[in-house]
CSV table of all heavy atoms in Angstrom, one decimal:
chain,number,residue,atom,x,y,z
A,1,ARG,N,9.1,-25.5,11.9
A,1,ARG,CA,10.3,-24.9,12.4
A,1,ARG,C,10.4,-25.1,13.9
A,1,ARG,O,9.4,-24.9,14.6
A,1,ARG,CB,10.5,-23.5,12.1
A,1,ARG,CG,10.7,-23.3,10.6
A,1,ARG,CD,11.0,-21.9,10.3
A,1,ARG,NE,12.3,-21.5,10.9
A,1,ARG,CZ,12.9,-20.3,10.7
A,1,ARG,NH1,12.3,-19.4,10.0
A,1,ARG,NH2,14.0,-20.1,11.3
A,2,ARG,N,11.6,-25.5,14.4
A,2,ARG,CA,11.7,-25.6,15.9
A,2,ARG,C,12.0,-24.2,16.5
A,2,ARG,O,11.4,-23.9,17.5
A,2,ARG,CB,13.0,-26.5,16.2
A,2,ARG,CG,12.7,-27.9,15.9
A,2,ARG,CD,13.9,-28.7,16.3
A,2,ARG,NE,13.6,-30.1,15.9
A,2,ARG,CZ,14.6,-31.0,15.7
A,2,ARG,NH1,15.8,-30.7,15.8
A,2,ARG,NH2,14.2,-32.2,15.3
A,3,ASP,N,12.8,-23.4,15.9
A,3,ASP,CA,13.1,-22.1,16.4
A,3,ASP,C,12.1,-21.1,15.9
A,3,ASP,O,12.1,-20.8,14.7
A,3,ASP,CB,14.5,-21.7,16.0
A,3,ASP,CG,14.8,-20.3,16.5
A,3,ASP,OD1,14.2,-19.8,17.5
A,3,ASP,OD2,15.7,-19.6,15.9
A,4,GLN,N,11.2,-20.6,16.7
A,4,GLN,CA,10.2,-19.7,16.4
A,4,GLN,C,10.4,-18.4,17.0
A,4,GLN,O,9.4,-17.6,17.2
A,4,GLN,CB,8.8,-20.3,16.7
A,4,GLN,CG,8.5,-21.5,15.9
A,4,GLN,CD,7.0,-21.9,16.0
A,4,GLN,OE1,6.2,-21.2,16.6
A,4,GLN,NE2,6.7,-23.0,15.3
A,5,SER,N,11.6,-18.0,17.3
A,5,SER,CA,11.9,-16.8,18.1
A,5,SER,C,11.6,-15.6,17.3
A,5,SER,O,11.3,-14.5,17.8
A,5,SER,CB,13.3,-16.8,18.6
A,5,SER,OG,14.2,-16.9,17.4
A,6,ASP,N,11.7,-15.6,15.9
A,6,ASP,CA,11.4,-14.5,15.1
A,6,ASP,C,10.1,-14.5,14.4
A,6,ASP,O,9.8,-13.7,13.5
A,6,ASP,CB,12.6,-14.2,14.1
A,6,ASP,CG,12.9,-15.5,13.3
A,6,ASP,OD1,12.4,-16.6,13.6
A,6,ASP,OD2,13.6,-15.3,12.2
A,7,LYS,N,9.2,-15.4,14.9
A,7,LYS,CA,7.8,-15.4,14.3
A,7,LYS,C,7.1,-14.2,14.9
A,7,LYS,O,7.1,-13.9,16.1
A,7,LYS,CB,7.1,-16.7,14.7
A,7,LYS,CG,5.7,-16.8,14.2
A,7,LYS,CD,5.0,-18.0,14.6
A,7,LYS,CE,3.6,-18.0,14.2
A,7,LYS,NZ,2.8,-19.0,14.8
A,8,ARG,N,6.3,-13.6,14.0
A,8,ARG,CA,5.5,-12.5,14.4
A,8,ARG,C,4.1,-12.9,14.6
A,8,ARG,O,3.5,-13.6,13.7
A,8,ARG,CB,5.5,-11.3,13.4
A,8,ARG,CG,6.9,-10.7,13.3
A,8,ARG,CD,7.0,-9.6,12.3
A,8,ARG,NE,6.0,-8.6,12.5
A,8,ARG,CZ,5.8,-7.6,11.6
A,8,ARG,NH1,6.5,-7.5,10.5
A,8,ARG,NH2,4.9,-6.6,11.9
A,9,ASP,N,3.5,-12.6,15.8
A,9,ASP,CA,2.1,-13.0,16.0
A,9,ASP,C,1.3,-11.7,15.7
A,9,ASP,O,1.3,-10.8,16.5
A,9,ASP,CB,1.9,-13.4,17.4
A,9,ASP,CG,2.5,-14.8,17.7
A,9,ASP,OD1,2.4,-15.7,16.8
A,9,ASP,OD2,3.1,-15.0,18.8
A,10,PHE,N,0.6,-11.7,14.6
A,10,PHE,CA,-0.2,-10.6,14.2
A,10,PHE,C,-1.5,-10.5,14.9
A,10,PHE,O,-2.2,-11.5,14.9
A,10,PHE,CB,-0.4,-10.6,12.7
A,10,PHE,CG,0.9,-10.4,11.9
A,10,PHE,CD1,1.5,-11.5,11.3
A,10,PHE,CD2,1.5,-9.2,11.7
A,10,PHE,CE1,2.6,-11.4,10.6
A,10,PHE,CE2,2.7,-9.1,11.0
A,10,PHE,CZ,3.2,-10.2,10.4
A,11,LYS,N,-1.8,-9.4,15.6
A,11,LYS,CA,-3.1,-9.2,16.2
A,11,LYS,C,-4.1,-8.6,15.2
A,11,LYS,O,-5.3,-8.7,15.4
A,11,LYS,CB,-3.0,-8.3,17.4
A,11,LYS,CG,-2.1,-8.8,18.5
A,11,LYS,CD,-1.9,-7.8,19.6
A,11,LYS,CE,-1.1,-8.4,20.7
A,11,LYS,NZ,0.3,-8.7,20.3
A,12,ARG,N,-3.5,-8.1,14.1
A,12,ARG,CA,-4.4,-7.5,13.1
A,12,ARG,C,-3.5,-7.3,11.8
A,12,ARG,O,-2.4,-7.0,11.8
A,12,ARG,CB,-4.8,-6.1,13.6
A,12,ARG,CG,-5.5,-5.3,12.6
A,12,ARG,CD,-5.5,-3.8,13.0
A,12,ARG,NE,-6.1,-3.0,12.0
A,12,ARG,CZ,-7.3,-2.5,12.1
A,12,ARG,NH1,-8.0,-2.6,13.2
A,12,ARG,NH2,-7.9,-1.8,11.1
A,13,LEU,N,-4.2,-7.6,10.7
A,13,LEU,CA,-3.6,-7.3,9.4
A,13,LEU,C,-4.6,-6.6,8.5
A,13,LEU,O,-5.8,-6.8,8.6
A,13,LEU,CB,-3.3,-8.7,8.7
A,13,LEU,CG,-2.0,-9.4,9.2
A,13,LEU,CD1,-1.9,-10.8,8.5
A,13,LEU,CD2,-0.8,-8.6,8.9
A,14,ASP,N,-4.1,-5.6,7.8
A,14,ASP,CA,-4.9,-4.9,6.9
A,14,ASP,C,-4.3,-5.0,5.5
A,14,ASP,O,-3.0,-5.0,5.3
A,14,ASP,CB,-4.9,-3.4,7.2
A,14,ASP,CG,-5.7,-3.1,8.4
A,14,ASP,OD1,-7.0,-3.2,8.3
A,14,ASP,OD2,-5.2,-2.8,9.5
A,15,LEU,N,-5.1,-5.1,4.5
A,15,LEU,CA,-4.7,-5.2,3.1
A,15,LEU,C,-5.1,-4.0,2.4
A,15,LEU,O,-6.2,-3.5,2.5
A,15,LEU,CB,-5.4,-6.5,2.4
A,15,LEU,CG,-4.9,-6.7,1.0
A,15,LEU,CD1,-3.4,-7.1,0.9
A,15,LEU,CD2,-5.8,-7.9,0.4
A,16,TRP,N,-4.1,-3.4,1.7
A,16,TRP,CA,-4.3,-2.1,1.0
A,16,TRP,C,-3.9,-2.2,-0.5
A,16,TRP,O,-3.1,-3.1,-0.8
A,16,TRP,CB,-3.4,-1.0,1.6
A,16,TRP,CG,-3.6,-0.8,3.1
A,16,TRP,CD1,-3.0,-1.4,4.1
A,16,TRP,CD2,-4.5,0.1,3.6
A,16,TRP,NE1,-3.5,-1.0,5.3
A,16,TRP,CE2,-4.5,0.0,5.0
A,16,TRP,CE3,-5.4,1.1,3.1
A,16,TRP,CZ2,-5.2,0.8,5.9
A,16,TRP,CZ3,-6.2,1.8,3.9
A,16,TRP,CH2,-6.1,1.7,5.3
A,17,VAL,N,-4.5,-1.4,-1.3
A,17,VAL,CA,-4.1,-1.3,-2.7
A,17,VAL,C,-3.8,0.1,-3.0
A,17,VAL,O,-4.5,1.1,-2.5
A,17,VAL,CB,-5.2,-1.8,-3.7
A,17,VAL,CG1,-6.5,-1.0,-3.6
A,17,VAL,CG2,-4.7,-1.9,-5.1
A,18,VAL,N,-2.8,0.4,-3.8
A,18,VAL,CA,-2.4,1.7,-4.2
A,18,VAL,C,-2.5,1.7,-5.8
A,18,VAL,O,-1.8,0.9,-6.4
A,18,VAL,CB,-1.0,2.1,-3.8
A,18,VAL,CG1,-0.7,3.5,-4.4
A,18,VAL,CG2,-0.9,2.1,-2.3
A,19,PHE,N,-3.4,2.5,-6.3
A,19,PHE,CA,-3.5,2.7,-7.8
A,19,PHE,C,-2.6,3.8,-8.2
A,19,PHE,O,-2.6,4.9,-7.6
A,19,PHE,CB,-5.0,3.0,-8.2
A,19,PHE,CG,-5.9,1.8,-8.0
A,19,PHE,CD1,-6.8,1.8,-6.9
A,19,PHE,CD2,-5.9,0.8,-8.8
A,19,PHE,CE1,-7.7,0.8,-6.7
A,19,PHE,CE2,-6.8,-0.3,-8.6
A,19,PHE,CZ,-7.7,-0.3,-7.6
A,20,LEU,N,-1.8,3.6,-9.1
A,20,LEU,CA,-0.9,4.6,-9.7
A,20,LEU,C,-1.3,4.8,-11.1
A,20,LEU,O,-1.6,3.9,-11.9
A,20,LEU,CB,0.6,4.1,-9.7
A,20,LEU,CG,1.1,3.7,-8.3
A,20,LEU,CD1,2.5,3.0,-8.5
A,20,LEU,CD2,1.3,4.9,-7.5
A,21,HIS,N,-1.3,6.1,-11.5
A,21,HIS,CA,-1.6,6.4,-12.9
A,21,HIS,C,-0.9,7.7,-13.2
A,21,HIS,O,-0.7,8.6,-12.4
A,21,HIS,CB,-3.1,6.5,-13.2
A,21,HIS,CG,-3.8,7.5,-12.4
A,21,HIS,ND1,-4.3,7.2,-11.1
A,21,HIS,CD2,-4.3,8.7,-12.7
A,21,HIS,CE1,-4.9,8.3,-10.7
A,21,HIS,NE2,-4.9,9.2,-11.6
A,22,TYR,N,-0.4,7.8,-14.4
A,22,TYR,CA,0.3,9.0,-14.9
A,22,TYR,C,-0.7,9.9,-15.7
A,22,TYR,O,-1.5,9.4,-16.5
A,22,TYR,CB,1.4,8.6,-15.8
A,22,TYR,CG,2.2,9.8,-16.3
A,22,TYR,CD1,3.2,10.4,-15.4
A,22,TYR,CD2,2.0,10.4,-17.5
A,22,TYR,CE1,3.9,11.5,-15.8
A,22,TYR,CE2,2.7,11.5,-17.9
A,22,TYR,CZ,3.6,12.1,-17.1
A,22,TYR,OH,4.3,13.2,-17.5
A,23,GLU,N,-0.7,11.2,-15.4
A,23,GLU,CA,-1.6,12.1,-16.1
A,23,GLU,C,-0.7,13.1,-16.8
A,23,GLU,O,0.3,13.5,-16.3
A,23,GLU,CB,-2.5,12.8,-15.1
A,23,GLU,CG,-3.6,11.8,-14.6
A,23,GLU,CD,-4.6,12.5,-13.7
A,23,GLU,OE1,-4.4,13.8,-13.4
A,23,GLU,OE2,-5.5,11.8,-13.2
A,24,ASN,N,-1.2,13.5,-18.0
A,24,ASN,CA,-0.4,14.5,-18.8
A,24,ASN,C,-0.4,15.9,-18.2
A,24,ASN,O,0.4,16.7,-18.5
A,24,ASN,CB,-0.9,14.5,-20.2
A,24,ASN,CG,-0.5,13.3,-20.9
A,24,ASN,OD1,0.5,12.7,-20.6
A,24,ASN,ND2,-1.4,12.9,-21.9
A,25,GLY,N,-1.4,16.2,-17.4
A,25,GLY,CA,-1.4,17.5,-16.7
A,25,GLY,C,-2.4,18.5,-17.3
A,25,GLY,O,-2.0,19.6,-17.4
A,26,ASP,N,-3.6,18.1,-17.6
A,26,ASP,CA,-4.5,19.0,-18.2
A,26,ASP,C,-5.2,19.9,-17.0
A,26,ASP,O,-5.9,20.8,-17.3
A,26,ASP,CB,-5.6,18.3,-18.9
A,26,ASP,CG,-5.1,17.6,-20.1
A,26,ASP,OD1,-4.0,18.0,-20.6
A,26,ASP,OD2,-5.7,16.6,-20.6
A,27,ASP,N,-4.9,19.5,-15.8
A,27,ASP,CA,-5.5,20.2,-14.7
A,27,ASP,C,-4.5,21.1,-14.0
A,27,ASP,O,-3.4,21.3,-14.6
A,27,ASP,CB,-6.1,19.2,-13.6
A,27,ASP,CG,-5.0,18.3,-13.1
A,27,ASP,OD1,-3.8,18.4,-13.6
A,27,ASP,OD2,-5.3,17.4,-12.3
A,28,ASP,N,-4.8,21.7,-12.9
A,28,ASP,CA,-3.9,22.6,-12.2
A,28,ASP,C,-2.6,22.0,-11.7
A,28,ASP,O,-1.6,22.7,-11.5
A,28,ASP,CB,-4.7,23.3,-11.1
A,28,ASP,CG,-5.8,24.2,-11.6
A,28,ASP,OD1,-5.7,24.6,-12.8
A,28,ASP,OD2,-6.7,24.5,-10.8
A,29,GLU,N,-2.7,20.7,-11.4
A,29,GLU,CA,-1.5,20.1,-10.8
A,29,GLU,C,-0.4,19.8,-11.7
A,29,GLU,O,0.7,19.6,-11.4
A,29,GLU,CB,-2.0,18.7,-10.1
A,29,GLU,CG,-2.9,18.9,-9.0
A,29,GLU,CD,-3.3,17.6,-8.3
A,29,GLU,OE1,-2.4,16.7,-8.3
A,29,GLU,OE2,-4.4,17.4,-7.9
A,30,GLY,N,-0.7,19.8,-13.0
A,30,GLY,CA,0.3,19.6,-14.0
A,30,GLY,C,0.6,18.1,-14.2
A,30,GLY,O,-0.1,17.2,-13.6
A,31,PRO,N,1.6,17.7,-15.1
A,31,PRO,CA,1.8,16.3,-15.3
A,31,PRO,C,2.4,15.7,-14.1
A,31,PRO,O,3.1,16.3,-13.3
A,31,PRO,CB,2.8,16.4,-16.5
A,31,PRO,CG,3.4,17.7,-16.4
A,31,PRO,CD,2.4,18.6,-15.8
A,32,GLY,N,2.2,14.4,-14.0
A,32,GLY,CA,2.8,13.6,-12.9
A,32,GLY,C,2.1,12.4,-12.5
A,32,GLY,O,1.1,12.0,-13.1
A,33,LEU,N,2.7,11.7,-11.6
A,33,LEU,CA,2.2,10.4,-11.1
A,33,LEU,C,1.1,10.7,-10.0
A,33,LEU,O,1.4,11.4,-9.0
A,33,LEU,CB,3.3,9.6,-10.5
A,33,LEU,CG,3.0,8.2,-10.1
A,33,LEU,CD1,2.7,7.3,-11.3
A,33,LEU,CD2,4.2,7.6,-9.4
A,34,ARG,N,0.0,10.1,-10.1
A,34,ARG,CA,-1.1,10.3,-9.1
A,34,ARG,C,-1.3,8.9,-8.5
A,34,ARG,O,-1.1,7.8,-9.1
A,34,ARG,CB,-2.4,10.6,-9.8
A,34,ARG,CG,-2.3,11.8,-10.7
A,34,ARG,CD,-2.2,13.1,-9.9
A,34,ARG,NE,-2.3,14.3,-10.8
A,34,ARG,CZ,-1.3,15.0,-11.3
A,34,ARG,NH1,-0.1,14.6,-11.0
A,34,ARG,NH2,-1.5,16.0,-12.1
A,35,ARG,N,-1.7,8.9,-7.2
A,35,ARG,CA,-1.9,7.7,-6.5
A,35,ARG,C,-3.2,7.8,-5.6
A,35,ARG,O,-3.5,8.9,-5.1
A,35,ARG,CB,-0.7,7.4,-5.6
A,35,ARG,CG,-0.4,8.4,-4.6
A,35,ARG,CD,1.0,8.2,-3.9
A,35,ARG,NE,1.3,9.2,-3.1
A,35,ARG,CZ,1.9,10.3,-3.5
A,35,ARG,NH1,2.3,10.4,-4.7
A,35,ARG,NH2,2.2,11.3,-2.6
A,36,GLU,N,-3.8,6.6,-5.5
A,36,GLU,CA,-5.0,6.5,-4.7
A,36,GLU,C,-4.9,5.3,-3.8
A,36,GLU,O,-4.6,4.2,-4.3
A,36,GLU,CB,-6.3,6.3,-5.5
A,36,GLU,CG,-6.6,7.5,-6.5
A,36,GLU,CD,-7.7,7.1,-7.4
A,36,GLU,OE1,-8.6,6.2,-7.0
A,36,GLU,OE2,-7.8,7.6,-8.5
A,37,ARG,N,-5.0,5.4,-2.5
A,37,ARG,CA,-5.0,4.3,-1.6
A,37,ARG,C,-6.4,3.8,-1.2
A,37,ARG,O,-7.2,4.7,-0.9
A,37,ARG,CB,-4.2,4.6,-0.4
A,37,ARG,CG,-2.7,4.4,-0.5
A,37,ARG,CD,-2.1,4.7,0.8
A,37,ARG,NE,-2.1,6.2,1.0
A,37,ARG,CZ,-1.3,6.8,1.8
A,37,ARG,NH1,-0.5,6.2,2.6
A,37,ARG,NH2,-1.4,8.2,1.9
A,38,HIS,N,-6.6,2.5,-1.2
A,38,HIS,CA,-7.9,2.0,-0.8
A,38,HIS,C,-7.7,0.8,0.1
A,38,HIS,O,-6.8,0.0,-0.1
A,38,HIS,CB,-8.8,1.6,-2.0
A,38,HIS,CG,-9.1,2.7,-2.9
A,38,HIS,ND1,-10.1,3.6,-2.6
A,38,HIS,CD2,-8.5,3.1,-4.0
A,38,HIS,CE1,-10.2,4.4,-3.6
A,38,HIS,NE2,-9.2,4.2,-4.5
A,39,HIS,N,-8.5,0.7,1.2
A,39,HIS,CA,-8.5,-0.4,2.1
A,39,HIS,C,-9.3,-1.6,1.5
A,39,HIS,O,-10.4,-1.4,1.0
A,39,HIS,CB,-9.1,0.0,3.4
A,39,HIS,CG,-9.0,-1.0,4.5
A,39,HIS,ND1,-10.1,-1.7,4.9
A,39,HIS,CD2,-8.0,-1.4,5.2
A,39,HIS,CE1,-9.7,-2.5,5.9
A,39,HIS,NE2,-8.4,-2.3,6.1
């Protein structure tokens, strides 16, 4: 591309994963969607 005015120069990038799982609620929190983030 000739026009690079909207190119972002990243000084750092991080990759993340979010695990989602549904639980029926046998614990104190009750039923619902749970999530865990990991780098």
Side-chain angles (χ1 to χ4, degrees):
R1 294 189 62 181
R2 288 186 184 156
D3 179 21
Q4 297 194 1
S5 60
D6 53 346
K7 178 185 178 190
R8 292 177 62 187
D9 291 320
F10 295 101
K11 294 176 183 61
R12 173 197 178 107
L13 282 174
D14 288 290
L15 184 64
W16 301 90
V17 63
V18 177
F19 291 105
L20 301 169
H21 59 279
Y22 182 81
E23 291 183 358
N24 289 330
D26 297 335
D27 57 2
D28 294 336
E29 294 181 36
L33 186 67
R34 309 287 189 261
R35 60 189 173 273
E36 300 173 25
R37 276 182 284 196
H38 298 278
H39 186 254

